[in-house]
């Protein structure tokens, strides 16, 4: 296992936020891995270990996830706040340009940064996310976020994940489900297995119109002329083939890859995903 350092930064409203840092070459922009709505830095363990050495990799955890502090005000669990938090990290760490690898929510944050600070992006991977979200997938996510379930053993947790997400990962083995459980859950204070995020992140998301945001298509346009990879899970219920095609039409030169027999979202451990990321980083490295 490649060693990483646990590091922290402070948000502008005083929260202590966590990221993992894997050492790599200083003559290249670092890779910033941005997780999905309920996820954390552990999602990128395998990818970061494979890139480390050649690339410096940072895996930040949004407020309310993993080892980042929980917010006092649940209204701050929103994408614009997350982008502001990342801006504070970049200032503290002296990062002026970077490659963003964004899964789901992390891809939305990447698009917001492409709208607001496009000069900072040296390249981008958008993993199973676009400026338009399929309502069917959105309803599925709304159905499980913030439910606060807990389990007596890791195997119970793994089976629960298989029950709720089996259609997205039909080829997963019991070992795969166990690995996923350990990425998104922890042992709670009472010894039971719990999800590793603040259940209150669901509150803004559950408000009427809470999912509505700004028009995200300018975020796609902000990536024009940069190395871009658009990944889609073949079985995804969140990111449609039509949205993928529309994005590709606005980003001449981008690469699109559909990962077979995977739903929302590819883990980035798939051979097709990793090979595509390597091709993108080769373009960034020049």
């Amino acid at each position: 296992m490649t060693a990483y350092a646990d590091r922290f930064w402070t948000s502008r409203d005083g929260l202590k936020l966590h990221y993992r840092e894997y050492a790599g070459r200083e003559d290249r922009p670092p890779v910033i891995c941005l997780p999905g709505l309920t996820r954390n830095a552990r999602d990128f363990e395998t990818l970061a270990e494979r890139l480390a050495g050649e690339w410096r990799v940072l895996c930040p955890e949004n407020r309310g996830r993993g080892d980042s502090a929980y917010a006092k005000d649940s209204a701050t669990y929103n994408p614009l706040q997350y982008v502001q938090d990342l801006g504070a990290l970049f200032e503290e760490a002296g990062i002026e340009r970077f490659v963003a690898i964004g899964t789901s929510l992390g891809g939305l944050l990447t698009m917001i940064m492409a709208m607001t600070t496009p000069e900072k992006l040296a390249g981008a991977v958008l993993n199973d996310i676009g400026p338009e979200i399929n309502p069917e997938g959105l309803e599925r996510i709304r159905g499980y976020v913030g439910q606060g379930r807990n389990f007596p053993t890791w195997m119970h947790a793994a089976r629960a994940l298989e029950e709720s997400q089996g259609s997205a990962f039909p080829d997963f083995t019991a070992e795969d489900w166990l690995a996923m459980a350990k990425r998104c859950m922890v042992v709670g204070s009472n010894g039971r297995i719990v999800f590793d995020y603040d259940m209150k992140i669901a509150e803004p998301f559950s408000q009427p119109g809470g999912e509505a945001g700004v028009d995200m298509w300018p975020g796609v346009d902000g990536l024009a002329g940069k190395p871009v990879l658009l990944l889609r899970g073949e079985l995804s219920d969140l990111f449609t083939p039509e949205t993928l095609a529309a994005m590709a039409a606005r980003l001449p030169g981008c690469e699109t890859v559909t990962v077979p027999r995977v739903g929302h979202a590819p883990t980035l451990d798939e051979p097709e995903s990793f090979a595509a990321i390597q091709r993108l980083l080769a373009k960034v490295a020049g």
Side-chain angles (χ1 to χ4, degrees):
M1 176 183 276
T2 305
Y4 60 84
D6 285 305
R7 302 198 189 283
F8 294 87
W9 85 101
T10 305
S11 70
R12 295 194 176 109
D13 58 348
L15 290 183
K16 185 179 181 182
L17 305 178
H18 171 258
Y19 67 100
R20 288 183 176 186
E21 180 169 7
Y22 297 76
R25 289 172 55 164
E26 295 293 331
D27 61 338
R28 294 174 168 176
V31 173
I32 311 293
C33 296
L34 303 171
L37 179 66
T38 65
R39 309 301 283 250
N40 57 69
R42 297 192 296 279
D43 266 359
F44 299 102
E45 275 180 344
T46 303
L47 177 66
E49 288 175 6
R50 295 171 84 177
L51 296 179
E54 284 298 307
W55 297 86
R56 178 186 177 201
V57 182
L58 279 68
C59 302
E61 294 179 322
N62 289 321
R63 57 177 57 207
R65 283 81 160 178
D67 291 328
S68 285
Y70 288 13
K72 296 180 179 67
D73 179 4
S74 66
T76 65
Y77 290 135
N78 68 78
L80 293 179
Q81 180 65 59
Y82 304 144
V83 168
Q84 186 181 94
D85 291 345
L86 290 171
L89 167 61
F90 300 149
E91 286 177 21
E92 284 195 29
I95 295 171
E96 296 180 358
R97 290 182 80 241
F98 57 90
V99 178
I101 298 180
T103 294
S104 196
L105 171 64
L108 293 177
L109 304 187
T110 301
M111 285 186 270
I112 293 172
M113 290 187 285
M115 274 191 259
T116 56
T117 54
E119 70 282 355
K120 290 186 179 294
L121 287 162
V125 178
L126 300 181
N127 181 20
D128 212 63
I129 193 68
E132 295 178 10
I133 297 175
N134 185 19
E136 178 186 328
L138 199 60
E139 281 307 309
R140 178 182 58 78
I141 292 171
R142 191 177 278 122
Y144 71 74
V145 173
Q147 295 300 308
R149 297 181 65 192
N150 60 81
F151 311 96
T153 69
W154 282 111
M155 192 52 68
H156 285 88
R159 287 182 186 138
L161 283 181
E162 183 176 11
E163 286 174 14
S164 64
Q165 300 187 42
S167 60
F169 302 98
D171 298 333
F172 265 25
T173 64
E175 289 75 16
D176 292 326
W177 289 114
L178 195 58
M180 179 178 279
K182 291 186 176 182
R183 283 181 168 186
C184 65
M185 303 185 203
V186 290
V187 179
S189 57
N190 61 356
R192 292 179 69 86
I193 313 299
V194 297
F195 285 93
D196 197 11
Y197 66 89
D198 184 356
M199 294 300 127
K200 291 181 180 178
I201 69 169
E203 291 179 6
F205 192 62
S206 64
Q207 297 301 314
E211 76 285 355
V214 296
D215 176 10
M216 296 298 289
W217 281 104
V220 176
D221 296 334
L223 294 171
K226 304 177 188 294
V228 175
L229 167 62
L230 306 177
L231 283 175
R232 179 179 180 272
E234 180 188 24
L235 309 177
S236 177
D237 62 355
L238 203 78
F239 185 33
T240 66
E242 293 77 15
T243 300
L244 175 66
M247 293 170 72
R250 292 168 84 143
L251 293 172
C254 79
E255 182 177 3
T256 64
V257 171
T258 297
V259 184
R261 293 185 61 76
V262 171
H264 184 78
T267 64
L268 306 183
D269 300 341
E270 306 90 1
E272 300 88 348
S273 299
F274 183 66
I277 290 170
Q278 285 186 304
R279 290 192 295 271
L280 175 108
L281 292 176
K283 294 176 188 173
V284 173

